[in-house]
């Protein structure tokens, strides 16, 4: 008997590999999903910061252009920051409309720190605004020269986390704007770190969840694997017994015949001994014949179960009378029950039809009758009932016999392959495949099969759609 409590299936390399592949697929999906989500979020933030920086630079250069066109509207500032403009100050509006301090060229919708300067035709640098705190007067000249010497009108000064934009004005001077990118870069790094932490937590949680889900998902596969392993083991065991009898009897017959052939011309006594040996050999050959028939029956049932599609060929289905099939089976088995000191009776409702295969449905009814014959008590009565259910959509077949009551544990395994209800039934011929075949036939016809038991009787029920 199998010790399923140790979960042998999980130690099977095929099942283990299948679980690993399931978990790997789950984790790959999660990782790709996280990469896409946080990747889109990261690059969206990056693009937003770049757009804000470009707008800040353009606004600063546009303000310088307006200042050059209307110089009387502005009061030049020194090279360093001037006091910030207070709330309600006229300079809160568009630069170039009012006189004011030129120390605040920062875009009102942006918090990006900006440095704005001009280089006139004499190569003299004038700082108009500088609110980048880490750039002092000594650094301004070098940064402005770096920006103006670049071949492109905009770019980065990576050593100082700055972006620049320059523009040549109508009077020949050059306006240069620098913005500080350190805050945006810090925010992006923080967002990246936060995304990594969230991703790690999600991956760990999904890994644990996938472990649990893999057990649930693989459980039917594991059961099928164990059923197959048990099927092969039980089939081997069932075939081994008749093969042993056949081989043993064949060897004995061979030795006996060789002894007769090697003996001298027999006298009367010797002839009598030889006849006795021949009779024993005939008996042995009868055993061989019986066991061969038994093996043929077993192999036939094994093939039915191994196909796994008993009666599933719907192309052969047609409208047939299940009442007629049941009644014919009842008449065929009445004499068999009588010969075995038992009684078979029926309560069969006429005119009940189903869409199915006549041969396999007849097999279904006979399996249930044969099962009742094997396991019913001597001088007992087996009753076959067939009726239409109240819904009018199903017919209900019941085969009830009087025998040893089945336990709930036994009922739960009755339709498993090679299952025999208890050890006391081992003396009864059979292989534990009949009810498994009956279950396959019922399922192929869209029906249900189950068993019930009370203190005196055991009943097998089948419902089929009409």
């Amino acid at each position: 008997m199998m010790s399923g409590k140790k979960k042998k299936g999980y130690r099977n390399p095929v099942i283990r590999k299948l679980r690993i592949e399931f978990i790997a697929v789950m984790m790959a999906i999660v990782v790709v999903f996280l990469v896409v989500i946080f990747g889109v979020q990261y690059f969206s933030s990056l693009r937003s910061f770049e757009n804000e920086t470009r707008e800040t630079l353009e606004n600063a250069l546009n303000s310088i252009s307006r200042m050059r066109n209307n110089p009387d509207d502005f009061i030049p500032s020194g090279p360093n920051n001037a006091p910030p403009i207070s709330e309600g100050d006229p300079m809160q509006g568009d630069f170039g409309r009012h006189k004011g301090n030129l120390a605040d060229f920062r875009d009102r919708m942006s918090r990006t720190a900006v440095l704005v300067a001009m280089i006139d035709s004499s190569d003299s640098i004038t700082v108009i605004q500088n609110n980048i705190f880490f750039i002092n007067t000594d650094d301004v000249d070098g940064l402005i020269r770096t920006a103006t010497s670049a071949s492109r009108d905009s770019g980065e000064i990576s050593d100082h986390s700055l972006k620049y934009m320059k523009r040549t004005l109508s009077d020949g001077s050059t306006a240069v704007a620098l913005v500080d990118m350190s805050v945006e870069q810090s925010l992006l790094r923080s967002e990246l770190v936060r995304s990594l932490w969230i991703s790690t937590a999600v991956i760990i949680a999904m890994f644990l969840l996938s472990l649990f889900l893999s057990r649930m998902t693989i459980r039917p596969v594991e059961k099928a694997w164990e059923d197959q392993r048990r099927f092969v083991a039980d089939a081997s065991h069932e075939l081994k017994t008749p093969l042993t009898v056949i081989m043993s009897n064949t060897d004995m017959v061979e030795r006996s015949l060789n002894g007769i052939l090697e003996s001298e011309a027999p006298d009367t006594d010797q002839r009598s001994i030889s006849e006795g040996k021949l009779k024993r050999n005939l008996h042995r050959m009868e055993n061989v014949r019986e066991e061969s028939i038994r093996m043929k029956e077993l192999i036939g049932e094994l093939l039915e179960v191994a196909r796994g599609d008993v009666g599933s060929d719907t192309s052969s289905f047609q409208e047939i009378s299940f009442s007629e099939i049941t009644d014919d089976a009842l008449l065929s088995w009445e004499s068999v029950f009588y010969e075995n000191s038992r009684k078979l009776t029926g309560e069969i409702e006429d005119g009940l039809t189903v869409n199915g295969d006549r041969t396999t449905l007849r097999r279904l009814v006979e399996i249930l009758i044969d099962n009742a014959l094997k396991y019913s008590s001597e001088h007992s009565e087996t009753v076959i009932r067939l009726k239409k259910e109240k819904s009018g959509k199903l017919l209900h077949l019941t085969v009830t016999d009087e025998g040893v009551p089945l336990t709930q544990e036994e009922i739960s395994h009755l339709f498993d392959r090679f299952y025999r209800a208890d050890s006391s039934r081992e003396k009864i011929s059979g292989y534990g495949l009949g009810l498994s075949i009956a279950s396959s036939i019922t399922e192929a016809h869209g029906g249900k099969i189950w068993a019930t038991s009370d203190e005196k009787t055991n009943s097998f029920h089948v419902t089929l759609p009409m």
Side-chain angles (χ1 to χ4, degrees), residues 404-422:
V404 179
L406 295 166
T407 66
Q408 288 301 316
E409 175 66 20
E410 290 170 340
I411 289 174
S412 65
H413 295 287
L414 278 177
F415 301 99
D416 295 345
R417 296 170 184 172
F418 292 106
Y419 182 77
R420 308 292 294 278
D422 57 54

Side-chain angles (χ1 to χ4, degrees), residues 44-56:
S44 177
S45 299
L46 178 62
R47 187 67 178 271
S48 177
F49 287 143
E50 289 177 346
N51 291 337
E52 184 178 350
T53 299
R54 186 178 63 256
E55 290 176 2
T56 300

Side-chain angles (χ1 to χ4, degrees), residues 148-201:
T148 54
S149 62
S151 58
R152 299 174 59 186
D153 290 338
S154 62
E156 294 185 14
I157 304 176
S158 56
D159 294 343
H160 294 79
S161 298
L162 297 172
K163 279 196 174 183
Y164 70 87
M165 184 178 289
K166 60 183 179 178
R167 183 183 299 171
T168 301
L169 304 179
S170 58
D171 60 357
S173 60
T174 301
V176 180
L178 302 175
V179 295
D180 176 22
M181 294 298 298
S182 59
V183 176
E184 286 79 359
Q185 291 174 351
S186 177
L187 289 174
L188 286 173
R189 284 194 297 270
S190 298
E191 183 176 325
L192 183 60
V193 171
R194 183 171 61 253
S195 299
L196 289 175
W197 277 110
I198 294 174
S199 299
T200 302

Side-chain angles (χ1 to χ4, degrees), residues 56-175:
T56 300
L57 291 170
E58 289 176 349
N59 288 338
L61 295 180
N62 290 337
S63 297
I64 293 177
S65 297
R66 291 195 296 271
M67 181 196 73
R68 299 296 290 178
N69 293 330
N70 302 282
D72 294 336
D73 289 342
F74 293 88
I75 301 174
S77 66
N80 294 318
N81 292 343
I85 300 172
S86 59
E87 286 292 329
D89 193 291
M91 282 298 293
Q92 295 284 357
D94 186 13
F95 293 113
R97 292 182 183 175
H98 305 280
K99 288 185 179 290
N101 199 309
L102 292 178
D104 196 352
F105 270 92
R106 187 186 306 184
D107 184 354
R108 292 301 175 184
M109 298 304 292
S110 171
R111 297 186 179 184
T112 307
V114 63
L115 183 152
V116 184
M118 292 180 57
I119 304 178
D120 57 23
S121 56
S122 62
D123 205 28
S124 175
I125 297 176
T126 302
V127 177
I128 298 176
Q129 176 184 355
N130 179 16
N131 49 24
I132 303 177
F133 70 92
F134 58 83
I135 299 179
N136 55 38
T137 305
D138 297 333
D139 298 329
V140 170
D141 186 74
L143 293 173
I144 296 300
R145 299 293 180 189
T146 299
T148 54
S149 62
S151 58
R152 299 174 59 186
D153 290 338
S154 62
E156 294 185 14
I157 304 176
S158 56
D159 294 343
H160 294 79
S161 298
L162 297 172
K163 279 196 174 183
Y164 70 87
M165 184 178 289
K166 60 183 179 178
R167 183 183 299 171
T168 301
L169 304 179
S170 58
D171 60 357
S173 60
T174 301

